[in-house]
Amino acid sequence: MDTVLNVALTIAGLAMLCFGGNWLVGGGVSIAKRYRVSNLVIGMTIVAYGTSTPELAASIAAAGEHGAIILGNVVGSNIANVGMVIGISAVLVPLAAGASILRREILIMIGVSFLLVALSADGELSTYDGLLLLGGLGVFAAHTFRTALNSRNQTGDADEKRRGIPSSAAMIVVGVVLLYVGAILTVENAVALAEEFGLSEKIIGLTIIAIGTSLPELITSIIAIKKGHTDIGIGNIIGSNIYNILMILGLGAALGGVTTGADVYADYAIMIIFGLSLLVVVKTKVIGRTMGACLAAGYVAYLVSFLL
């Protein structure tokens, strides 16, 4: 009976993710048009912050006693975001990635990943390391604010202006709440089902929780692409991966420290390799279906490795 309930709640959580993603994208695009801010910047800020709320909730809940879940969740989510989310999204529709802003953010994402590796060299992410990451978040927030101002378009969209800021903001808030609750329902019940099969805490963090907390990014990106906003879809992922390390892992480490065992470096390497693969957009300016299929296949291979 418990298994049936867990399955039902997981389905309910997925439904909330779908509705939440739709409202978040709608509200974000509306604000972008009204203030003449590019969809790409909105994707890397409002939408990325919103879809990172499940990782934030999971990290706060696991802070102190379950550092392995925090680390596994962040690293696993960043791998899933590129392999699963960008991979699947690019298979559906080739993702245009020609903006210099995006190429710069990809380099920042890779740089932040290497910073995480460096901070882990002593075997832990201490409270001071967490504060350093949170300080980096402040610098990145200031950078994105300047980017938003510099990327403003000269004209707005008259149709989008018909929707007032309060209603747009309400859509974003409702969308984030639905994503948050939906992700919690999905993750908690998926973990309950996984525990019945005896999966370890580390594997649960790297796979079940990582995939569950990446579902908002996946749903939001697919909805954005369906609406014709591919720049929001890819900007959302790059922004989320940066926030996951600086904000989510930074907060988790600041609250109680996170132990980093030697075995985590293999996952670090995979996360960085997936990130480096996106550098292809610097030359091609598009993530095509072939690359999307390769990313998705690589992620499936990563998951299968846990079963070997």
Side-chain angles (χ1 to χ4, degrees):
M1 189 66 182
D2 288 340
T3 300
V4 174
L5 179 60
N6 288 333
V7 171
L9 290 176
T10 299
I11 294 174
L14 289 172
M16 289 184 180
L17 290 175
C18 291
F19 283 107
N22 187 54
W23 283 46
L24 180 60
V25 170
V29 170
S30 179
I31 289 179
K33 297 301 183 183
R34 185 172 183 91
Y35 285 105
R36 305 191 307 278
V37 176
S38 71
N39 286 340
L40 176 59
V41 172
I42 289 296
M44 290 188 297
T45 54
I46 294 177
V47 178
Y49 268 117
T51 55
S52 289
T53 53
E55 285 92 342
L56 179 61
S59 292
I60 292 176
E65 298 181 0
H66 303 288
I69 286 183
I70 298 175
L71 187 61
N73 178 29
V74 168
V75 176
S77 291
N78 281 15
I79 294 172
N81 282 347
V82 177
M84 180 179 72
V85 181
I86 290 184
I88 293 175
S89 298
V91 168
L92 294 176
V93 176
L95 303 177
S100 59
I101 294 175
L102 180 59
R103 295 197 293 272
R104 185 173 64 239
E105 307 310 316
I106 290 175
L107 291 175
I108 292 175
M109 178 188 72
I110 295 171
V112 167
S113 298
F114 277 109
L115 173 62
L116 174 59
V117 175
L119 293 178
S120 302
D122 59 354
E124 72 166 342
L125 294 173
S126 66
T127 299
Y128 296 107
D129 292 333
L131 293 175
L132 177 62
L133 291 173
L134 291 175
L137 174 65
V139 173
F140 182 68
H143 161 72
T144 53
F145 179 73
R146 289 196 303 270
T147 300
L149 292 180
N150 293 335
S151 67
R152 295 184 69 183
N153 302 315
Q154 295 302 313
T155 58
D157 188 316
D159 291 333
E160 292 292 345
K161 286 186 177 182
R162 294 175 184 173
R163 179 181 292 155
I165 293 301
S167 61
S168 298
M171 287 180 67
I172 291 174
V173 171
V174 173
V176 169
V177 171
L178 287 175
L179 287 172
Y180 176 84
V181 176
I184 294 297
L185 281 176
T186 303
V187 170
E188 288 187 348
N189 288 281
V191 168
L193 290 171
E195 288 178 343
E196 292 184 12
F197 296 94
L199 296 179
S200 70
E201 186 173 276
K202 176 190 173 184
I203 292 180
I204 289 176
L206 282 168
T207 57
I208 303 298
I209 295 180
I211 293 174
T213 55
S214 289
L215 286 177
E217 283 89 347
L218 177 62
I219 299 299
T220 301
S221 293
I222 290 176
I223 290 173
I225 289 170
K226 185 178 179 181
K227 292 176 176 288
H229 304 298
T230 59
D231 42 3
I232 283 186
I234 191 169
N236 168 36
I237 299 308
I238 304 305
S240 291
N241 278 16
I242 295 173
Y243 296 138
N244 282 348
I245 293 177
L246 296 180
M247 178 173 68
I248 310 302
L249 196 52
L251 182 60
L255 290 176
V258 176
T259 300
T260 56
D263 56 342
V264 77
Y265 287 95
D267 299 300
Y268 281 168
I270 293 172
M271 176 181 69
I272 291 174
I273 289 172
F274 270 98
L276 289 172
S277 70
L278 296 182
L279 289 178
V280 70
V281 306
V282 175
K283 186 173 183 178
T284 65
K285 297 185 179 181
V286 66
I287 300 177
R289 288 190 171 92
T290 299
M291 182 178 176
C294 290
L295 289 173
Y299 184 66
V300 171
Y302 172 69
L303 293 179
V304 170
S305 69
F306 287 102
L307 303 177
L308 301 180

